[in-house]
Amino acid sequence: MRDVTCAVLDELTFKTVGVDNAQKALELIDQAAIDLVLLDWDLPDLGALDVLTGLASMPDETRPRVLIMATACDPKQLRLAREAGVADCLSKPLDTGALRQIVEDLPLPSSERAA
């Protein structure tokens, strides 16, 4: 899933980095200018809301846009995610066309896009 997602974003001119756990993601986001985060709702170590809480402490101008990927984007989950700053939710299995459309419609801060 991560490789497919990165390939789609690469086609959309993002420089992508895939990581295998939430702690690595938070460290990378803290160290680099990241414009977009695709976050799996069901993480093996930290929960997605833990990651979103970490991102919420960032200044607005450096906080990346976040898309959640979930097996089912149930309304309660989506409400919690949106309250935590998530831009949108993608259902798994990933629909690459939907990912393209959502990402193309997102206002992102830089022309050097990183995800």
Side-chain angles (χ1 to χ4, degrees):
M1 175 79 76
R2 183 174 40 247
D3 292 340
V4 170
T5 303
C6 286
V8 170
L9 293 173
D10 287 339
E11 290 174 11
L12 294 171
T13 70
F14 281 88
K15 294 187 317 187
T16 60
V17 177
V19 296
D20 60 3
N21 69 57
Q23 190 59 45
K24 287 180 187 176
L26 286 171
E27 290 169 8
L28 180 65
I29 292 164
D30 190 45
Q31 297 168 3
I34 304 294
D35 295 314
L36 179 65
V37 172
L38 271 71
L39 180 64
D40 196 315
W41 187 261
D42 302 310
L43 298 171
D45 50 356
L46 295 174
L49 288 176
D50 295 322
V51 174
L52 293 170
T53 300
L55 295 177
S57 66
M58 296 175 70
D60 288 344
E61 63 275 3
T62 61
R63 186 178 317 131
R65 302 291 298 208
V66 179
L67 299 176
I68 287 286
M69 294 190 306
T71 304
C73 292
D74 90 39
K76 182 180 176 184
Q77 244 182 0
L78 186 55
R79 182 181 51 77
L80 288 171
R82 286 196 189 273
E83 288 172 1
V86 168
D88 213 332
C89 181
L90 292 158
S91 293
K92 294 188 292 186
L94 181 64
D95 175 341
T96 58
L99 172 60
R100 283 179 203 281
Q101 188 62 53
I102 289 169
V103 170
E104 288 174 346
D105 291 345
L106 279 177
L108 296 173
S110 72
S111 59
E112 287 279 324
R113 303 182 327 165

